[in-house]
Short mmCIF file of all heavy atoms in Angstrom, two decimals:
data_model
loop_
_atom_site.label_atom_id
_atom_site.label_comp_id
_atom_site.label_asym_id
_atom_site.label_seq_id
_atom_site.Cartn_x
_atom_site.Cartn_y
_atom_site.Cartn_z
N ASN B 18 15.10 22.70 -26.57
CA ASN B 18 16.16 23.70 -26.70
C ASN B 18 15.54 25.07 -26.43
O ASN B 18 14.37 25.32 -26.70
CB ASN B 18 16.78 23.65 -28.09
CG ASN B 18 18.09 24.43 -28.19
OD1 ASN B 18 18.74 24.70 -27.17
ND2 ASN B 18 18.47 24.77 -29.40
N GLY B 19 16.35 25.96 -25.88
CA GLY B 19 15.92 27.31 -25.60
C GLY B 19 16.12 27.62 -24.14
O GLY B 19 16.78 26.86 -23.43
N PRO B 20 15.57 28.75 -23.68
CA PRO B 20 14.75 29.67 -24.46
C PRO B 20 15.59 30.65 -25.29
O PRO B 20 16.77 30.84 -25.04
CB PRO B 20 13.98 30.42 -23.38
CG PRO B 20 14.91 30.45 -22.22
CD PRO B 20 15.70 29.18 -22.29
N VAL B 21 14.90 31.24 -26.27
CA VAL B 21 15.45 32.36 -27.01
C VAL B 21 14.45 33.51 -26.83
O VAL B 21 13.24 33.30 -26.83
CB VAL B 21 15.65 32.00 -28.50
CG1 VAL B 21 14.34 31.59 -29.17
CG2 VAL B 21 16.29 33.14 -29.26
N GLU B 22 14.98 34.71 -26.62
CA GLU B 22 14.09 35.85 -26.40
C GLU B 22 13.68 36.48 -27.73
O GLU B 22 14.50 36.69 -28.62
CB GLU B 22 14.75 36.91 -25.53
CG GLU B 22 13.75 38.03 -25.19
CD GLU B 22 14.33 39.14 -24.31
OE1 GLU B 22 15.50 39.01 -23.89
OE2 GLU B 22 13.60 40.12 -24.07
N LEU B 23 12.40 36.76 -27.83
CA LEU B 23 11.84 37.43 -29.00
C LEU B 23 11.73 38.91 -28.66
O LEU B 23 10.81 39.32 -27.95
CB LEU B 23 10.47 36.83 -29.29
CG LEU B 23 9.71 37.27 -30.52
CD1 LEU B 23 10.48 36.92 -31.78
CD2 LEU B 23 8.34 36.60 -30.54
N THR B 24 12.67 39.71 -29.14
CA THR B 24 12.67 41.13 -28.77
C THR B 24 11.79 41.93 -29.72
O THR B 24 11.58 41.55 -30.88
CB THR B 24 14.09 41.70 -28.81
OG1 THR B 24 14.54 41.68 -30.17
CG2 THR B 24 15.04 40.89 -27.94
N LEU B 69 16.44 26.85 -33.19
CA LEU B 69 16.42 25.97 -32.02
C LEU B 69 16.53 24.50 -32.42
O LEU B 69 17.15 23.69 -31.71
CB LEU B 69 15.14 26.21 -31.20
CG LEU B 69 15.06 27.58 -30.50
CD1 LEU B 69 13.66 27.81 -29.93
CD2 LEU B 69 16.11 27.68 -29.39
N ALA B 94 3.02 35.15 -31.07
CA ALA B 94 4.25 35.30 -30.28
C ALA B 94 4.50 36.80 -30.17
O ALA B 94 4.38 37.53 -31.15
CB ALA B 94 5.41 34.60 -30.96
N ARG B 95 4.83 37.25 -28.96
CA ARG B 95 4.87 38.68 -28.67
C ARG B 95 6.25 39.14 -28.20
O ARG B 95 7.06 38.34 -27.74
CB ARG B 95 3.84 39.02 -27.58
CG ARG B 95 2.43 38.72 -28.01
CD ARG B 95 1.43 39.18 -26.95
NE ARG B 95 0.06 38.91 -27.38
CZ ARG B 95 -0.62 39.64 -28.26
NH1 ARG B 95 -0.05 40.69 -28.82
NH2 ARG B 95 -1.86 39.33 -28.60
N ALA B 96 6.44 40.45 -28.27
CA ALA B 96 7.71 41.04 -27.81
C ALA B 96 7.95 40.65 -26.36
O ALA B 96 7.06 40.75 -25.52
CB ALA B 96 7.64 42.55 -27.95
N GLY B 97 9.15 40.20 -26.09
CA GLY B 97 9.52 39.80 -24.73
C GLY B 97 9.29 38.33 -24.44
O GLY B 97 9.75 37.84 -23.40
N ASP B 98 8.60 37.65 -25.34
CA ASP B 98 8.38 36.21 -25.11
C ASP B 98 9.72 35.46 -25.09
O ASP B 98 10.65 35.79 -25.83
CB ASP B 98 7.51 35.61 -26.23
CG ASP B 98 6.02 35.80 -25.98
OD1 ASP B 98 5.65 36.38 -24.93
OD2 ASP B 98 5.22 35.37 -26.84
N LEU B 99 9.76 34.45 -24.26
CA LEU B 99 10.90 33.53 -24.21
C LEU B 99 10.42 32.22 -24.83
O LEU B 99 9.53 31.56 -24.26
CB LEU B 99 11.36 33.31 -22.78
CG LEU B 99 11.84 34.58 -22.06
CD1 LEU B 99 12.09 34.31 -20.58
CD2 LEU B 99 13.13 35.10 -22.73
N LEU B 100 10.98 31.87 -25.96
CA LEU B 100 10.48 30.73 -26.73
C LEU B 100 11.37 29.51 -26.54
O LEU B 100 12.60 29.59 -26.62
CB LEU B 100 10.40 31.09 -28.22
CG LEU B 100 9.53 32.30 -28.53
CD1 LEU B 100 9.50 32.54 -30.04
CD2 LEU B 100 8.11 32.13 -27.98
N THR B 101 10.73 28.39 -26.32
CA THR B 101 11.42 27.12 -26.13
C THR B 101 10.86 26.10 -27.10
O THR B 101 9.64 26.05 -27.31
CB THR B 101 11.24 26.63 -24.68
OG1 THR B 101 11.69 27.65 -23.78
CG2 THR B 101 12.03 25.37 -24.41
N LEU B 102 11.74 25.30 -27.67
CA LEU B 102 11.33 24.24 -28.58
C LEU B 102 11.19 22.93 -27.84
O LEU B 102 12.09 22.53 -27.08
CB LEU B 102 12.38 24.09 -29.69
CG LEU B 102 12.22 22.89 -30.62
CD1 LEU B 102 10.91 22.96 -31.40
CD2 LEU B 102 13.41 22.79 -31.56
N THR B 127 6.56 25.10 -30.32
CA THR B 127 7.29 26.26 -29.84
C THR B 127 6.41 26.92 -28.78
O THR B 127 5.28 27.30 -29.07
CB THR B 127 7.57 27.23 -31.00
OG1 THR B 127 8.16 26.51 -32.08
CG2 THR B 127 8.51 28.35 -30.55
N ARG B 128 6.92 26.95 -27.54
CA ARG B 128 6.09 27.42 -26.43
C ARG B 128 6.68 28.71 -25.85
O ARG B 128 7.90 28.90 -25.84
CB ARG B 128 6.05 26.36 -25.33
CG ARG B 128 5.46 25.04 -25.79
CD ARG B 128 5.39 24.03 -24.64
NE ARG B 128 5.17 22.69 -25.13
CZ ARG B 128 5.41 21.57 -24.44
NH1 ARG B 128 5.90 21.66 -23.20
NH2 ARG B 128 5.19 20.37 -24.95
N ASN B 129 5.78 29.57 -25.36
CA ASN B 129 6.24 30.78 -24.68
C ASN B 129 6.51 30.49 -23.19
O ASN B 129 6.41 29.35 -22.74
CB ASN B 129 5.24 31.93 -24.90
CG ASN B 129 3.88 31.66 -24.26
OD1 ASN B 129 3.76 30.83 -23.35
ND2 ASN B 129 2.86 32.35 -24.73
N GLN B 130 6.85 31.55 -22.47
CA GLN B 130 7.26 31.38 -21.06
C GLN B 130 6.11 30.95 -20.16
O GLN B 130 6.33 30.56 -19.00
CB GLN B 130 7.91 32.67 -20.53
CG GLN B 130 6.98 33.87 -20.46
CD GLN B 130 6.86 34.60 -21.80
OE1 GLN B 130 7.12 34.05 -22.88
NE2 GLN B 130 6.44 35.85 -21.72
N HIS B 131 4.86 31.01 -20.69
CA HIS B 131 3.71 30.52 -19.93
C HIS B 131 3.35 29.08 -20.31
O HIS B 131 2.34 28.55 -19.84
CB HIS B 131 2.50 31.42 -20.18
CG HIS B 131 2.78 32.87 -19.98
ND1 HIS B 131 3.16 33.40 -18.77
CD2 HIS B 131 2.78 33.92 -20.85
CE1 HIS B 131 3.37 34.71 -18.90
NE2 HIS B 131 3.15 35.05 -20.14
N GLY B 132 4.15 28.48 -21.16
CA GLY B 132 3.87 27.12 -21.59
C GLY B 132 2.84 27.03 -22.70
O GLY B 132 2.43 25.93 -23.09
N GLU B 133 2.42 28.19 -23.22
CA GLU B 133 1.43 28.21 -24.31
C GLU B 133 2.12 27.98 -25.65
O GLU B 133 3.21 28.50 -25.90
CB GLU B 133 0.72 29.56 -24.34
CG GLU B 133 -0.05 29.88 -23.07
CD GLU B 133 -0.43 31.36 -22.97
OE1 GLU B 133 0.29 32.21 -23.52
OE2 GLU B 133 -1.45 31.64 -22.33
N VAL B 135 2.83 28.68 -29.27
CA VAL B 135 2.70 29.76 -30.25
C VAL B 135 2.91 29.26 -31.68
O VAL B 135 2.52 29.92 -32.63
CB VAL B 135 3.67 30.93 -29.95
CG1 VAL B 135 3.35 31.57 -28.60
CG2 VAL B 135 5.12 30.49 -30.00
#
Side-chain angles (χ1 to χ4, degrees):
Chain B
N18 194 20
V21 60
E22 186 180 356
L23 184 62
T24 66
L69 291 170
R95 297 185 179 283
D98 276 359
L99 299 172
L100 302 181
T101 304
L102 171 63
T127 310
R128 300 182 195 162
N129 65 21
Q130 65 277 21
H131 309 298
E133 298 165 331
V135 297

